[in-house]
């Protein structure tokens, strides 16, 4: 199949969305021919054949470029299917599909459906819901799309996979603790782009200050940095987090790693005891799924998250981790202390979380669902 891939979000940009898009692209390249329209810094390690870059990383200019270049590619390369890598490029995909009578598949994640700007919501209802098929990362996003007029039978929920390296991580926790100097200290970990909705500053100011009173040696590791090239997130959340840490005298209990490479990321997952993502309910923003929960689980690290967006689909409450209500910092505090102190429950959650992640989130199996849908559209 010859596929036109419209991808504003593409490596070397980092994040859960970019990870999913690149895995889809790289794992199906041996079965289909992709003609990818992306932005100028979209470099990959493999051959860049059939990758067309807009030299302006300004979104409106990219959309114009995608429309013109996409039309040229459809006529020149005999494109059979148009694939919009996220909801933000769906308008161009649907216009091209209508003009050239091609099937359109759009992948949606969460924020690319609910982003509250009026003109964007008009675009969702005018174009995105006209896609011939939609792949949603979770049921939460599917429901939001149906509310906006999408036909339920046109939406398939395909949860993302995790990279093979996480499925086979076999680092020894003891040696990693020694390497990083944490030794016998209980370790919490968050891995994310530092968007406001992640709730890290609020967790530190409301929960961690209480946890430290009960578990003085606990240390909270934060891997990630402020989003760059984001259409929706421009706050300096990193500075806000550091301000809260300093205000509460928690310098000994919080360590920032910033953006980390894949090896360091796997080491952090493997040496940590509990993965946390205290996402808060933020109007106009949402956690679509939370792939980092699954990555942590695959390394034997149970998770604690909040009941918002697609997180309840990423965590099996009481089995692979614990879910609390957004803003319930007393509940979050209790959950952390409970897992730190109750070794029997911790071991049960750890074993189940790892088994589930490795059984249900292997890309080798998940990519077959993408392939089947593409073939149906051809």
């Amino acid at each position: 199949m010859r596929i036109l891939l419209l991808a504003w979000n593409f490596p070397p940009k980092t994040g859960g969305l970019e990870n999913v898009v690149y895995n889809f692209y790289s794992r199906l390249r041996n079965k289909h021919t992709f003609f990818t329209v992306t932005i100028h810094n979209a470099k990959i390690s493999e051959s860049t054949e059939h990758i067309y870059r807009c030299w302006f990383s300004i979104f409106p200019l990219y959309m114009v470029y995608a429309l013109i270049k996409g039309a040229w590619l459809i006529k020149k390369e005999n494109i059979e299917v148009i694939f919009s890598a996220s909801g933000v490029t769906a308008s161009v995909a649907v216009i091209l599909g209508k003009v050239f009578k091609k099937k359109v598949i759009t992948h949606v994640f969460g924020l690319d459906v609910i982003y509250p700007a009026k003109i964007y919501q008009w675009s969702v209802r005018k174009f995105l819901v006209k896609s011939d098929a939609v792949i949603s990362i979770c049921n939460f996003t599917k429901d939001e799309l149906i509310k906006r007029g999408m036909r339920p039978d046109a939406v398939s929920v395909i949860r993302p996979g995790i990279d093979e390296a996480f499925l086979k991580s076999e680092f020894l926790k003891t040696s990693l603790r020694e390497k990083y100097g944490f030794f016998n200290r209980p370790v919490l970990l968050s891995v994310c782009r530092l968007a406001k909705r992640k709730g890290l500053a609020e967790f530190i100011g409301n929960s961690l200050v209480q946890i430290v009173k009960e578990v003085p040696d606990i240390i909270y590791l934060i891997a990630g940095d402020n989003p760059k090239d984001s259409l929706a997130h421009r706050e300096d959340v990193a500075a806000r987090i550091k301000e809260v840490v300093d205000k509460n005298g928690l310098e000994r209990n919080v360590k920032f790693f910033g953006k980390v490479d894949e090896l360091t990321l796997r080491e952090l997952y493997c040496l940590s005891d509990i993965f946390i993502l205290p996402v808060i309910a933020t109007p106009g923003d949402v956690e679509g799924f939370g792939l980092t929960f699954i990555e942590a689980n695959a390394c034997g690290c149970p998770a604690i998250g909040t009941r918002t967006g697609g997180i309840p689909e990423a965590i099996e409450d009481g089995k692979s981790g614990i879910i609390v209500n957004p803003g319930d910092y007393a509940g979050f505090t209790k959950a952390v202390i409970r897992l730190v102190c109750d070794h029997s429950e911790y071991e049960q959650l750890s074993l189940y979380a790892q088994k589930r992640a490795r059984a249900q989130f292997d890309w080798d199996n998940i990519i077959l669902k993408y392939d089947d849908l593409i073939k149906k559209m051809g």
Side-chain angles (χ1 to χ4, degrees), residues 107-120:
H107 205 312
V108 294
F109 294 81
L111 183 57
D112 55 347
V113 172
I114 73 160
Y115 187 65
K118 289 183 179 179
I119 190 169
Y120 186 79

Side-chain angles (χ1 to χ4, degrees), residues 42-111:
K43 296 180 292 184
I44 58 173
S45 58
E46 295 93 343
S47 167
T48 56
E49 183 182 9
H50 303 320
I51 293 182
Y52 302 87
R53 303 182 181 120
C54 174
W55 287 98
F56 302 98
S57 56
I58 300 170
F59 184 68
L61 295 180
Y62 165 76
M63 294 291 275
V64 173
Y65 175 85
L67 185 64
I68 296 170
K69 182 63 73 173
W72 178 76
L73 287 169
I74 289 171
K75 291 189 288 186
K76 181 177 182 292
E77 301 293 350
N78 192 28
I79 297 295
E80 297 168 271
V81 173
I82 302 170
F83 194 103
S84 177
S86 73
V88 299
T89 49
S91 57
V92 170
V94 170
I95 290 171
L96 290 172
K98 186 174 181 63
V99 171
F100 294 100
K101 295 180 172 56
K102 303 295 180 182
K103 296 290 186 180
V104 174
I105 303 172
T106 298
H107 205 312
V108 294
F109 294 81
L111 183 57

Side-chain angles (χ1 to χ4, degrees), residues 118-275:
K118 289 183 179 179
I119 190 169
Y120 186 79
Q121 284 302 307
W122 173 84
S123 175
V124 169
R125 290 180 166 88
K126 180 72 174 178
F127 298 107
L128 200 162
V129 300
K130 303 292 177 58
S131 303
D132 296 287
V134 170
I135 297 171
S136 174
I137 201 170
C138 62
N139 283 302
F140 169 83
T141 302
K142 175 182 177 179
D143 292 342
E144 289 296 322
L145 195 55
I146 291 171
K147 291 177 186 177
R148 289 160 173 80
M150 190 73 206
R151 304 186 327 273
D153 63 334
V155 186
S156 300
V157 174
I158 303 179
R159 295 188 178 91
I162 56 176
D163 292 337
E164 185 178 12
F166 294 108
L167 296 173
K168 296 182 178 179
S169 291
E170 296 178 351
F171 295 108
L172 292 177
K173 180 175 285 191
T174 301
S175 61
L176 287 174
R177 292 290 186 91
E178 292 176 355
K179 174 181 176 179
Y180 286 91
F182 301 142
F183 301 101
N184 295 321
R185 299 179 68 180
V187 179
L188 306 179
L189 172 68
S190 288
V191 176
C192 59
R193 289 191 289 185
L194 301 182
K196 183 178 179 181
R197 76 163 186 268
K198 304 293 184 177
L200 271 57
E202 291 78 4
F203 165 78
I204 293 169
N206 292 283
S207 282
L208 189 61
V209 290
Q210 301 302 323
I211 294 167
V212 167
K213 293 177 182 178
E214 298 291 330
V215 190
D217 282 340
I218 200 164
I219 185 165
Y220 177 32
L221 314 181
I222 300 173
D225 206 346
N226 290 326
K228 296 180 180 178
D229 299 321
S230 172
L231 297 176
H233 304 118
R234 295 184 174 87
E235 313 95 338
D236 188 357
V237 174
R240 172 60 181 154
I241 293 172
K242 291 174 183 176
E243 178 185 322
V244 174
V245 169
D246 293 342
K247 178 182 177 181
N248 290 280
L250 294 172
E251 294 87 349
R252 180 179 176 273
N253 300 97
V254 180
K255 181 174 178 60
F256 296 90
F257 279 83
K259 183 179 178 181
V260 298
D261 59 33
E262 185 175 301
L263 176 61
T264 303
L265 177 60
R266 284 189 286 135
E267 289 183 340
L268 292 178
Y269 279 136
C270 289
L271 68 82
S272 298
D273 294 303
I274 305 168
F275 182 83

Side-chain angles (χ1 to χ4, degrees), residues 1-2 29 37-38 42 45 63 68 72 99 116 131 159 173 196 206 219 241 258 316 323 329 338 342 347 373 377:
M1 196 81 67
R2 299 171 75 79
R29 286 177 65 194
V37 180
T38 184
S45 58
M63 294 291 275
I68 296 170
W72 178 76
V99 171
S131 303
R159 295 188 178 91
K173 180 175 285 191
K196 183 178 179 181
N206 292 283
I219 185 165
I241 293 172
E316 283 193 38
I323 299 177
Y329 295 108
R338 174 175 141 197
D342 189 335
E347 287 300 323
L373 182 59
M377 291 292 107

